[in-house]
Amino acid sequence: MVPTDSPHAQSIITEEAGHGIFTGTLGDKTYYWIGNTVRDEYAGVFFGLGVAYDAVEDAEVRSDIREITTRLLDFLLQNNWAVVMPTGEISTVFWARPDQQLSFLQVGRRVNPNRFESTYRNYRFWYASSVIVPISYDVLDDHTSYFKFNLNTITLYNLIRLEDSSCYRWFYMNAYNVMRRTTDYHGNAHFNVIDRGLKGPDSSRDDETRNLLENWLQRSRRDEWVDWRGDARYSACGDDRACNAIPVVDRVRTDFLWQRSPFLLYGGGQGNIEGAGIDYILPYWMARYYGVL
């Protein structure tokens, strides 16, 4: 969203017009906001809200988190887990994703138990054993659409860490372990610190996390094009896939490194966009929190 009177508004809404441009009021300001909302955005927001609620012991912050979470969840429940644009069009759905539905409800009952406790327990009874199904499908391919592993990791994180039943936690951890066996050799600092949060210390994994974060600092901050096809250091096992995970320093330039396949041989942009560094900041502070750093 961007204020309608921002000097950058016109260029933003022109570039994003294909997604649909809508207006809304917050406080005393009117904003443009970009439509075509996707599952990634919901998953990221719930991940952040769930973590912030437990990490920030401030009544006003927690009140804001409760209000936002309740509003988001009520919207999804009222629309049968579909994201509906003001035009009536559906931009995305969470159908056949019991893992994501349960994770959002898990955060909901944490921040607003009076509203969502019974709903979560009902969903958990019926769908907990099904969490493994979409995860098992996703691991059939560990290269294309790699961002699916990021969505799965951040949703399972809150689902598992907030679970108070050892029985249901087993179902969730079983699904998580299926995915982790696929990604644990990918050199992914973000996934590693979430694994630390769910499973506790592991010297080998935590050493790797420190090295990965150190290597991230040696990457270019800009989106220069890289192409390792034909490079003897990185043998190919497909048109755009290396046989082994490429070192962090040489991986394709992107805004959030850990949701891109570590096997990708080429990609990037023109070198004129600088990344925000969230792919360093997030695992860095989680590593600090869990004692890896």
Side-chain angles (χ1 to χ4, degrees):
M1 54 190 281
V2 57
T4 54
D5 59 358
S6 166
H8 307 291
Q10 191 57 50
S11 62
I12 291 173
I13 64 173
T14 299
E15 182 174 342
E16 301 291 346
H19 296 297
I21 308 298
F22 305 97
T23 57
T25 302
L26 185 63
D28 60 354
K29 292 188 74 69
T30 302
Y31 293 84
Y32 292 118
W33 62 276
I34 312 302
N36 195 28
T37 305
V38 293
R39 286 190 301 134
D40 310 39
E41 294 172 288
Y42 266 86
V45 167
F46 272 95
F47 170 68
L49 292 173
V51 170
Y53 189 85
D54 290 334
V56 184
E57 296 179 1
D58 178 271
E60 185 175 354
V61 170
R62 287 188 166 185
S63 177
D64 287 344
I65 292 172
R66 185 178 302 111
E67 190 277 330
I68 296 169
T69 303
T70 300
R71 186 175 180 180
L72 288 168
L73 261 180
D74 281 347
F75 179 83
L76 288 176
L77 291 168
Q78 289 163 10
N79 289 285
N80 189 30
W81 295 99
V83 180
V84 183
M85 294 292 102
T87 58
E89 294 178 299
I90 293 176
S91 66
T92 193
V93 297
F94 292 92
W95 305 335
R97 294 303 310 216
D99 52 330
Q100 294 169 359
Q101 293 179 16
L102 283 165
S103 180
F104 297 169
L105 287 168
Q106 183 82 283
V107 174
R109 77 152 176 167
R110 169 65 176 139
V111 307
N112 191 350
N114 292 335
R115 176 72 70 90
F116 297 113
E117 178 74 31
S118 62
T119 304
Y120 171 75
R121 288 182 176 274
N122 183 51
Y123 270 70
R124 183 177 67 179
F125 176 80
W126 290 107
Y127 302 123
S129 61
S130 300
V131 165
I132 195 172
V133 175
I135 302 299
S136 297
Y137 177 79
D138 284 345
V139 301
L140 296 177
D141 182 351
D142 69 347
H143 178 56
T144 57
S145 301
Y146 191 83
F147 65 87
K148 65 191 173 186
F149 294 123
N150 185 39
L151 298 187
N152 293 344
T153 300
I154 61 179
T155 50
L156 287 173
Y157 174 69
N158 276 327
L159 180 60
I160 294 169
R161 78 178 184 87
L162 296 174
E163 183 50 52
D164 55 6
S165 163
S166 59
C167 173
Y168 290 110
R169 195 175 192 273
W170 182 89
F171 284 116
Y172 302 157
M173 280 299 297
N174 188 40
Y176 171 81
N177 286 331
V178 167
M179 182 184 65
R180 181 63 182 171
R181 284 194 292 270
T182 298
T183 62
D184 62 357
Y185 66 95
H186 289 183
N188 192 309
H190 174 44
F191 294 174
N192 278 3
V193 290
I194 284 182
D195 195 66
R196 167 66 178 248
L198 296 178
K199 294 184 176 179
D202 178 282
S203 59
S204 177
R205 180 204 58 213
D206 295 344
D207 282 343
E208 181 190 54
T209 302
R210 288 186 284 268
N211 290 330
L212 291 168
L213 290 174
E214 182 67 28
N215 290 337
W216 186 97
L217 294 173
Q218 300 169 40
R219 284 171 54 80
S220 171
R221 301 291 188 271
R222 293 183 175 270
D223 66 333
E224 299 99 342
W225 179 264
V226 297
D227 190 341
W228 300 117
R229 288 173 293 184
D231 191 300
R233 294 175 299 170
Y234 306 124
S235 56
C237 287
D239 291 340
D240 69 343
R241 180 191 174 111
C243 298
N244 300 300
I246 294 172
V248 165
V249 174
D250 288 337
R251 289 184 196 173
V252 167
R253 314 306 186 210
T254 183
D255 57 343
F256 192 82
L257 175 64
W258 317 115
Q259 69 169 351
R260 297 287 180 261
S261 172
F263 306 105
L264 198 58
L265 282 167
Y266 64 91
Q270 298 177 336
N272 56 10
I273 296 177
E274 185 174 359
I278 302 302
D279 45 357
Y280 182 80
I281 294 170
L282 175 57
Y284 170 81
W285 283 108
M286 289 191 75
R288 288 281 300 272
Y289 180 86
Y290 284 117
V292 178
L293 293 173

